[in-house]
Amino acid sequence: MEPQTADRTKSPSTPGPLASFVRFVVCGGGIGVLSSFAVPLVAMTMPWAVANAVITVASTLLCTELHALFTFGTGRRPGWRRHLQSSGSAAAAYAVTCVAMTLLHSIQSSPALLTEQAVYLSASALAGIGRFLVLRLFVFTGTHTSRRPSGTVVALPRPTLPRTAVSTAC
């Protein structure tokens, strides 16, 4: 006989925190590497900034799908709400790396390439950990899978009788 747990939102296929984190890194990192190759290819047909934006949006949508189905094991595709929440956390992570690089360049006008890489990768790692926590604790918690718990009784509206010219109000 298996011990019962108090966590009813977790399905048997939901991975634990460590497995989720490894999956998050693999999915996000894999898509990130593919995106880094896709941007220059797409930039052949349009301005680089536009190509970067297009690939960023596409990769964020793809990552959200993978995170819902594989990383956090929700068992269903994410809806628009989860896509918006995920894109918000991606935008926050982007802002963290931008702020880190701006601070570096305000402290050192011409930092060495190795210093830039170290600051950028450190900021990316911290932003990634923060993004993982937001997705795990708020976006893919399992609480948004159903609008109403199973077994809930729903009251149906009472049929109304047509009104006549003379009404008898009680």
Side-chain angles (χ1 to χ4, degrees):
M1 181 186 276
E2 292 183 35
Q4 293 182 354
T5 61
D7 185 9
R8 301 206 188 274
T9 62
K10 197 172 182 179
S11 70
S13 64
T14 302
L18 183 59
S20 289
F21 186 71
V22 170
R23 291 176 179 189
F24 179 82
V25 170
V26 169
C27 288
I31 297 300
V33 169
L34 291 175
S35 296
S36 70
F37 289 114
V39 171
L41 294 174
V42 174
M44 290 180 188
T45 62
M46 61 184 71
W48 188 90
V50 175
N52 189 30
V54 167
I55 296 300
T56 299
V57 168
S59 65
T60 301
L61 290 171
L62 178 59
C63 277
T64 302
E65 294 284 335
L66 290 173
H67 291 326
L69 297 171
F70 179 69
T71 303
F72 300 109
T74 63
R76 62 180 6 185
R77 294 184 61 195
W80 285 109
R81 179 180 179 171
R82 284 185 169 160
H83 273 292
L84 287 173
Q85 291 170 328
S86 180
S87 65
S89 69
Y94 175 77
V96 166
T97 57
C98 288
V99 167
M101 295 308 289
T102 302
L103 284 174
L104 172 64
H105 285 275
S106 69
I107 294 169
Q108 288 184 332
S109 61
S110 301
L113 182 60
L114 187 60
T115 304
E116 282 184 325
Q117 283 289 65
V119 169
Y120 179 78
L121 292 174
S122 298
S124 292
L126 288 174
I129 291 168
R131 183 163 149 69
F132 170 78
L133 291 172
V134 166
L135 293 178
R136 178 151 176 97
L137 298 174
F138 299 107
V139 178
F140 296 109
T141 60
T143 58
H144 300 295
T145 58
S146 174
R147 294 254 183 228
R148 137 181 58 135
S150 62
T152 300
V153 177
V154 177
L156 297 174
R158 291 185 195 168
T160 57
L161 298 175
R163 292 189 167 209
T164 59
V166 179
S167 81
T168 55
C170 294

